[in-house]
Amino acid sequence: MNTSFATDIGQTSEQSAALFAKVACDIRERGYSILPEALPEPLTRQLLQQVSNLDETEFVAAGIGRQSDFVHEQRIRSDEIVWITGDTPPGALWCQWTDQLRLILNRQLLLGLFSFESHYSHYAPGAYYARHLDAFKGERNRVLSVVAYLNPEWGDNDGGELVLYANQEDATGVKVRPQRGTLVVFLSEDFPHQVLPAQRDRYAIAGWFRTNTSTATRIDPPR
Ligand code: OGA
Ligand code: MN
């Protein structure tokens, strides 16, 4: 890893490796990891700058499901999203950082994570995402969910918390404030979660590590 990458991102490869090892350890022990101040500040600053400068027309209302079963479901979620590509400098840094995470998770947990897809999400005041799972049992498609928060200051009354539930029966959950730098990683099939209504503009990234479920007759696209 070259030095300019470490400078741009604000974290040396040793620091990232230690952090990613901690994520792997948490996933092994309890299936999820919540780490405040995990994302280096220069990286979140560049990502926030990019997402907050995007033109409103670049956002699309978020949907549920993939391709043919894709629906816009206002009752379930009301955020809007923009997919992240490696074609811009902040997008490229984010993709490199998460790829290093992918390699460490594969080495330590043998998950066979193959690809990563992620989008910015913007929750305008009042927007939310009702309780849901990111993947369905047995699909082995989205294996690990990653959420990264970009909001510099998030007060007690700003709402928009992520609530992560231990299982389908859990009604209490763990609340996570969407504060810049916090990284949340969890097994996509196992943890129902929701986003409480935000009281102000809320910027985050949601991403998924996937296994390759292509077959000889059907190519599984990465989205
Ligand atoms: C999602 C999601 C959580 C968050 O986009 O699927 O659950 O805190 N996001 O933004
Ligand atoms: Mn989700």
Side-chain angles (χ1 to χ4, degrees):
M1 193 142 301
N2 63 42
T3 43
S4 78
F5 175 71
T7 312
D8 289 347
I9 237 167
Q11 197 171 62
T12 65
S13 55
E14 291 76 20
Q15 287 170 323
S16 325
L19 178 74
F20 299 157
K22 170 87 178 106
V23 174
C25 183
D26 286 349
I27 299 292
R28 183 188 289 117
E29 281 174 8
R30 49 194 163 101
Y32 71 92
S33 183
I34 300 172
L35 299 175
E37 290 171 37
L39 291 132
E41 205 264 340
L43 176 62
T44 50
R45 190 166 11 88
Q46 291 172 70
L47 293 166
L48 178 64
Q49 193 175 13
Q50 180 173 45
V51 68
S52 45
N53 286 335
L54 286 172
D55 192 86
E56 187 55 36
T57 57
E58 295 183 68
F59 284 91
V60 292
I64 320 286
R66 303 171 69 211
Q67 296 177 344
S68 54
D69 55 359
F70 186 94
V71 284
H72 292 288
E73 181 49 282
Q74 281 257 312
R75 280 172 302 143
I76 296 177
R77 64 187 298 189
S78 50
D79 59 326
E80 46 182 20
I81 66 165
V82 179
W83 289 95
I84 300 178
T85 70
D87 300 340
T88 61
L93 289 177
W94 168 247
C95 291
Q96 287 173 69
W97 196 73
T98 53
D99 206 52
Q100 202 193 343
L101 171 60
R102 183 180 69 83
L103 295 174
I104 288 180
L105 292 171
N106 277 347
R107 209 176 302 141
Q108 302 205 1
L109 304 175
L110 308 177
L111 286 172
L113 305 175
F114 176 79
S115 63
F116 184 67
E117 57 184 351
S118 63
H119 61 63
Y120 289 115
S121 59
H122 169 229
Y123 291 72
Y128 60 89
Y129 195 161
R131 182 170 167 143
H132 66 281
L133 277 172
D134 285 346
F136 298 101
K137 283 275 178 225
E139 276 189 9
R140 290 295 292 167
N141 181 11
R142 287 179 165 177
V143 176
L144 262 190
S145 301
V146 176
V147 189
Y149 298 110
L150 306 179
N151 313 291
E153 264 124 45
W154 199 265
D156 290 342
N157 300 321
D158 291 338
E161 293 96 341
L162 168 72
V163 191
L164 191 67
Y165 300 96
N167 51 50
Q168 294 285 20
E169 288 72 47
D170 183 8
T172 314
V174 180
K175 265 194 195 175
V176 183
R177 183 195 290 244
Q179 173 80 34
R180 173 160 86 186
T182 298
L183 179 74
V184 180
V185 183
F186 56 92
L187 292 168
S188 304
E189 288 182 1
D190 293 348
F191 295 90
H193 54 282
Q194 77 182 95
V195 178
L196 300 177
Q199 304 303 322
R200 41 181 277 233
D201 289 300
R202 175 195 197 267
Y203 291 101
I205 294 175
W208 299 272
F209 288 112
R210 302 177 55 199
T211 51
N212 184 1
T213 52
S214 296
T215 62
T217 55
R218 180 178 166 275
I219 293 173
D220 191 18
R223 195 170 289 173

